[in-house]
Amino acid sequence: MTATSERPPRPTARIEDPALLTGRGRFLDDIDPLPGTLTAAVVRSPHPHARIRGVNLERARRHPGVAAVIGPDEVTAALRPFPLSLKTPMPYYPTGTDKVRFVGEPVALVVAADRYLAEDAAELVEVDYEPLPPVVDTEKALLPDAPRLHDGADGNVATDRTFEFGDVDAVFAAADHIVKGKYRFPRYSSTPMECYSVIAEWQDEADGPAVQAWANFHGPFSMVPVLAGALGIPASRVRLMVPADNGGSFGIKAGIYPYVALMALASKHAGRPVRWTEDRIEHLLASSAGSDRVMWFEAAVSADGTVQALRADLVDNVGAYLRPPEPSTLYRCFGNITGAYRIDAVQIRSRAVVTNKTPTGLNRGFGGQQLYFGLERLMDKIAGVCGLDPTELRKRNFVRREDFPYATPTGGIFDSGDYQRAMDMLLNNADYKTLREEQREARERGEYLGIGIATIVDPSATNIGYVGLATPAEQRAAGRGKSGSTEHVRISVDLNGIVSVLLGTVPQGQGHATVAQAIVADQLGLPLEQVRPVVEMDTATTPWTVSSGSYSSRFAPLLTSALVEASEKLAGTIRIAGATLLGVDADDVELAEGQVRLRDKPERSVPFRHATGLVHWDPGSLPEGTAARLYEEAAFTPPQSKAASRSDQINSSLCYGFVAELAVIRIDAETRQLTLDRVVTVHDPGTILNPQLLEGQVHGALAHAIGGAMFEEMRYTDAGQPTATFMDYLCPTTAETQYALDSDHLETPSPLTRLGAKGCGEGSCMSLPAAVANAVADALAPAGVDDITTLPLHGNVLNNLLDGRNSERNV
């Protein structure tokens, strides 16, 4: 498959904004699809680890206004454990059943006429707990004598796989340098403005039970069969609807929604539809978070700074359960695990361990945040060992422009890029030499000024087949491999020539409707106002597949390609209709300026709406063999996205963009206050579809990354008690994101997508945390501090680092 000559759509302003700015957005709490809906409140565990000895629901059931109360017995009687991504004896239900395994885990559910009554009755639920020792630390959970979360398992390791590509041991044995590093990436969340929300109705039909549910879920829709499996009904009997507006997700609403199954069961018991909306404390306490990771890296390096081999030992703390889509965080970046560098020999050990923390899932840039923090810190360490500037070290190891398409040892196929040029743009825009001179002068004044670099490959259009790597090749059923980067779209034209575009990507604020409108309008030669994009999801009517959804930067490469293909099909019919009205051959006409016109004599034309009207009103006049249809569906399925090979290689994404980022930080010598002074960034997202939206995505990703780099961390005490409010979970505001930004872009179109577009919304989430860490290490180097191995970095951390170093010197 090669890119066609289509040009990117005209840049347009966001069409989503007027409704949002005037309070006319339609979020789930704004709609009441089923009159008479009841409201639920969740009873949650105060213990991180405890056996449930008994649950008394009777007092709550007798409370005025209560319609139903369900607990572990009702859950296990009616629901099955959720199907998992791999076989492991760690069953997961929407509530605790035998045990509770994290603070905030649901234990019971109360359904009443309103939330006030439900909350009051929830306080009457009596749970008899037998507290058990908890374990929250990743490395402690690996120990054989650690408290065991799941009695049926041999330990807390949910998956453990080792992969080797090339003769790694031989390369290490011959290396001039072996550079090692141990790094920790924190658990932090997405903190969208809108928390989880669900409305569910259980329906007992003549042909069997069915569930219809509304949720602000945004995919992947592989979760629909997971829900169906838990409910014990066919996937075709689960109808999931998502409203047009979603108050943010950034990944956190893309994993399994256990509350859909729980509210459906509550509806069955209450005999009415049930609504539940999560509050902010519940969201921080028990929804989801990105995985915290402990990782060990080793590099075999030649004397000139060439990285010849890499060893990576990755341990993800997935919380209490290996909840779908985990262990995805370990494998999403499998194809690009060597980053932007030519490294031919790689050994990887990937483990997921369960602990008494909230289960994990997706967080913007998931997998890449963790990987690049370790890899890019290691690259800076290698530069120091080899006596090279960090930028020079990276240039020596970059995949070269002439190498594309470039095959990584783990199976990734990098489609296009020019990493050297992007780095040159970055250094030129930053005036790097002048920056280093300013740093020298600042150090002479006793100031801490640091410059950090990170370069990352930005994967997009994820291939969901990478999850198969968690299962050994010999255990994967032949002929039943899973893969997928498919996206569907449906386009139709009404009697008046108005084009409707039905999308299945379930946006969460990125501007999908804006881009879709512009692409279809350009493809059909129409003014923008003649194209109406529709972004609600209804699994009963919207075209979708299990890989559909708004995750892993799929829209730009996949859905836009489907839009082009569906538009081409539709345009063919409209050209035939227009040519019929003009009495000419269809090959001689084009669609432009709202007309069907002769290419050589554009003054001879008919309005687009007349041509489409002919198909609706007078299809008998069309040439024989012409289908009288003005709706087309396209499923863009790139053949490059395949299941994992028997040798455990996989092209884990279709497209691979690039980000080069530079961060300048200052640290106050007295207060240890860390300030992000400046960010210079260069992104290569392939073809830019809308410059304004691209810049918005860059700004948003940087703000998200600043949280993980400098503020946000879901901390747990050794006793398993977590942070649960914004009083102790520091989410950056506009006050903390005031820095000078220089954002630039390079376009190397992908040959695999119809418009050459790749993803762009996650890159800086992966690169900035590493750049900030590298900058802090650079700033503190004169003080003898070189052990920046974890995040977030803030005054308390820096104070400990500097005071510890000073203490060592005094000794």
Side-chain angles (χ1 to χ4, degrees):
M1 183 185 301
T2 57
T4 58
S5 60
E6 289 92 0
R7 294 185 298 176
R10 70 193 95 168
T12 61
R14 281 172 49 98
I15 62 175
E16 295 91 347
D17 290 345
L20 298 175
L21 293 172
T22 56
R24 292 182 290 111
R26 287 180 57 78
F27 300 88
L28 192 54
D29 254 7
D30 297 319
I31 64 176
D32 187 16
L34 300 171
T37 297
L38 302 171
T39 303
V42 181
V43 178
R44 299 180 181 276
S45 168
H47 300 285
H49 196 195
R51 200 169 304 280
I52 301 173
R53 292 191 293 210
V55 180
N56 187 341
L57 308 175
E58 293 311 311
R59 289 181 63 204
R61 284 170 174 161
R62 292 195 300 268
H63 192 274
V66 170
V69 184
I70 61 174
D73 289 345
E74 289 74 19
V75 167
T76 54
L79 301 181
R80 302 171 182 172
F82 287 106
L84 304 180
S85 300
L86 54 90
K87 293 181 179 179
T88 183
M90 299 180 177
Y92 174 55
Y93 288 92
T95 68
T97 53
D98 56 335
K99 283 181 177 182
V100 289
R101 295 176 173 88
F102 62 96
V103 172
E105 181 166 17
V107 180
L109 187 78
V110 177
V111 180
D114 58 46
R115 184 70 177 252
Y116 300 100
L117 292 170
E119 293 282 3
D120 287 345
E123 295 182 2
L124 302 177
V125 173
E126 300 171 358
V127 185
D128 181 12
Y129 295 106
E130 177 191 344
L132 300 170
V135 58
V136 296
D137 181 80
T138 304
E139 292 181 81
K140 289 180 180 178
L142 292 170
L143 299 176
D145 60 347
R148 186 172 302 182
L149 270 73
H150 298 271
D151 296 340
D154 293 333
N156 294 324
V157 177
T159 176
D160 183 353
R161 291 225 58 205
T162 298
F163 309 87
E164 184 159 341
F165 307 94
D167 194 345
V168 177
D169 290 344
V171 177
F172 268 85
D176 295 307
H177 304 289
I178 296 177
V179 184
K180 303 179 181 181
K182 177 183 177 182
Y183 307 100
R184 293 177 179 270
F185 193 85
R187 169 180 292 228
Y188 80 105
S189 188
S190 302
T191 57
M193 288 193 291
E194 182 192 30
C195 298
Y196 286 11
S197 191
V198 174
I199 303 169
E201 182 182 34
W202 182 281
Q203 300 169 322
D204 283 312
E205 306 288 356
D207 55 348
V211 170
Q212 62 172 346
W214 287 256
N216 53 7
F217 173 70
H218 77 79
F221 280 77
S222 54
M223 296 303 155
V224 172
V226 171
L227 282 169
L231 293 164
I233 60 178
S236 60
R237 305 291 290 173
V238 176
R239 182 182 182 185
L240 183 60
M241 289 155 278
V242 182
D245 292 315
N246 185 319
S249 168
F250 316 109
I252 204 166
K253 295 173 184 170
I256 182 64
Y257 255 46
Y259 297 103
V260 175
L262 188 57
M263 298 308 147
L265 179 59
S267 171
K268 179 180 182 181
H269 280 263
R272 300 256 294 277
V274 174
R275 175 193 288 271
W276 171 76
T277 299
E278 184 182 56
D279 65 34
R280 180 59 62 181
I281 291 177
E282 287 181 297
H283 186 78
L284 283 172
L285 195 67
S287 58
S288 185
S291 299
D292 43 321
R293 176 179 291 179
V294 180
M295 48 194 149
W296 295 261
F297 280 93
E298 291 184 61
V301 185
S302 67
D304 66 354
T306 301
V307 181
Q308 299 169 315
L310 182 71
R311 289 192 181 118
D313 187 349
L314 316 175
V315 185
D316 276 7
N317 185 335
V318 297
Y321 301 94
L322 191 73
R323 182 169 69 182
E326 294 290 19
S328 290
T329 310
L330 284 166
Y331 296 106
R332 188 253 176 142
C333 289
F334 196 84
N336 55 287
I337 201 153
T338 50
Y341 312 115
R342 288 176 288 113
I343 304 174
D344 295 330
V346 181
Q347 184 185 81
I348 309 160
R349 186 179 185 186
S350 298
R351 286 176 283 177
V353 61
V354 292
T355 67
N356 295 113
K357 291 184 176 181
T358 305
T360 59
L362 294 78
N363 188 29
R364 192 174 190 171
F366 84 105
Q369 295 177 311
Q370 293 88 342
L371 166 66
Y372 290 125
F373 178 70
L375 184 60
E376 288 300 293
R377 284 296 295 124
L378 185 74
M379 294 301 287
D380 261 30
K381 195 168 186 178
I382 295 169
V385 169
C386 295
L388 295 171
D389 185 274
T391 62
E392 178 60 31
L393 185 278
R394 286 168 171 81
K395 287 181 181 180
R396 292 190 184 188
N397 287 280
F398 275 157
V399 175
R400 299 164 299 197
R401 181 176 61 180
E402 60 268 25
D403 294 334
F404 291 97
Y406 174 77
T408 72
T410 51
I413 307 294
F414 293 177
D415 46 328
S416 64
D418 192 339
Y419 303 166
Q420 177 76 48
R421 183 180 168 200
M423 176 65 94
D424 290 343
M425 291 171 63
L426 180 82
L427 299 181
N428 180 66
N429 293 351
D431 196 357
Y432 187 67
K433 289 184 179 179
T434 301
L435 264 182
R436 286 297 183 190
E437 179 61 26
E438 291 176 3
Q439 182 186 50
R440 185 189 65 77
E441 295 171 355
R443 286 177 171 175
E444 289 178 353
R445 296 190 298 269
E447 299 173 5
Y448 294 126
L449 174 66
I451 303 164
I453 297 283
T455 56
I456 63 108
V457 171
D458 184 4
S460 57
T462 192
N463 171 10
I464 63 172
Y466 62 66
V467 180
L469 290 169
T471 300
E474 63 273 13
Q475 296 177 23
R476 298 197 291 263
R480 299 192 63 189
K482 294 179 180 178
S483 67
S485 285
T486 298
E487 276 299 349
H488 286 250
V489 68
R490 182 182 298 149
I491 304 178
S492 60
V493 189
D494 71 10
L495 302 174
N496 298 312
I498 302 299
V499 180
S500 293
V501 184
L502 192 57
L503 309 178
T505 48
V506 199
Q508 36 166 316
Q510 304 99 317
H512 291 187
T514 297
V515 175
Q517 181 190 55
I519 288 174
V520 174
D522 284 357
Q523 293 291 317
L524 298 179
L526 294 173
L528 293 171
E529 59 271 16
Q530 209 164 328
V531 178
R532 175 180 172 266
V534 180
V535 296
E536 295 104 336
M537 163 60 78
D538 182 341
T539 55
T541 59
T542 307
W544 63 282
T545 181
V546 292
S547 63
S548 293
S550 180
Y551 65 102
S552 296
S553 300
R554 298 169 57 82
F555 173 82
L558 298 179
L559 193 116
T560 62
S561 295
L563 284 170
V564 171
E565 294 190 357
S567 296
E568 286 176 342
K569 295 177 184 178
L570 197 61
T573 301
I574 297 166
R575 279 197 299 269
I576 291 172
T580 299
L581 290 172
L582 291 168
V584 298
D585 192 278
D587 292 336
D588 297 330
V589 301
E590 63 180 3
L591 306 182
E593 298 180 354
Q595 307 286 317
V596 183
R597 68 189 189 188
L598 279 170
R599 284 195 180 86
D600 297 335
K601 295 181 179 180
E603 66 275 8
R604 282 199 64 196
S605 65
V606 295
F608 179 93
R609 63 185 177 87
H610 288 177
T612 58
L614 181 74
V615 181
H616 278 289
W617 293 107
D618 191 15
S621 64
L622 293 171
E624 185 176 351
T626 301
R629 51 183 275 169
L630 285 176
Y631 64 91
E632 293 291 348
E633 184 173 329
F636 183 73
T637 304
Q640 292 81 8
S641 297
K642 300 183 184 299
S645 71
R646 306 306 291 178
S647 58
D648 285 327
Q649 290 177 301
I650 193 166
N651 189 26
S652 50
S653 293
L654 175 66
C655 304
Y656 299 88
F658 181 74
V659 181
E661 209 141 71
L662 180 148
V664 180
I665 62 97
R666 294 182 186 273
I667 301 171
D668 188 285
E670 293 184 2
T671 67
R672 312 291 166 82
Q673 174 72 35
L674 173 64
T675 302
L676 180 61
D677 221 30
R678 184 183 177 197
V679 175
V680 183
T681 186
V682 176
H683 285 246
D684 176 6
T687 301
I688 297 174
L689 300 175
N690 185 303
Q692 180 188 40
L693 294 179
L694 170 61
E695 200 61 28
Q697 289 294 313
V698 172
H699 279 257
L702 286 169
H704 198 123
I706 287 170
M710 299 169 60
F711 299 98
E712 298 181 52
E713 183 180 16
M714 307 195 82
R715 297 183 65 88
Y716 286 74
T717 67
D718 289 341
Q721 294 296 325
T723 55
T725 74
F726 283 147
M727 293 179 68
D728 47 15
Y729 182 84
L730 302 181
C731 189
T733 68
T734 53
E736 288 77 38
T737 53
Q738 298 297 315
Y739 55 89
L741 174 62
D742 185 318
S743 178
D744 206 348
H745 310 101
L746 170 68
E747 293 182 88
T748 62
S750 172
L752 307 179
T753 65
R754 291 299 302 268
L755 297 175
K758 308 177 186 180
C760 67
E762 300 177 89
S764 286
C765 276
M766 307 177 193
S767 50
L768 188 69
V772 167
N774 287 339
V776 170
D778 185 51
L780 298 183
V785 176
D786 60 359
D787 50 352
I788 306 299
T789 59
T790 189
L791 297 173
L793 294 164
H794 46 69
N796 288 346
V797 174
L798 300 179
N799 199 52
N800 292 335
L801 286 169
L802 286 166
D803 286 353
R805 182 59 59 185
N806 291 336
S807 297
E808 288 177 20
R809 288 179 173 179
N810 292 335
V811 170

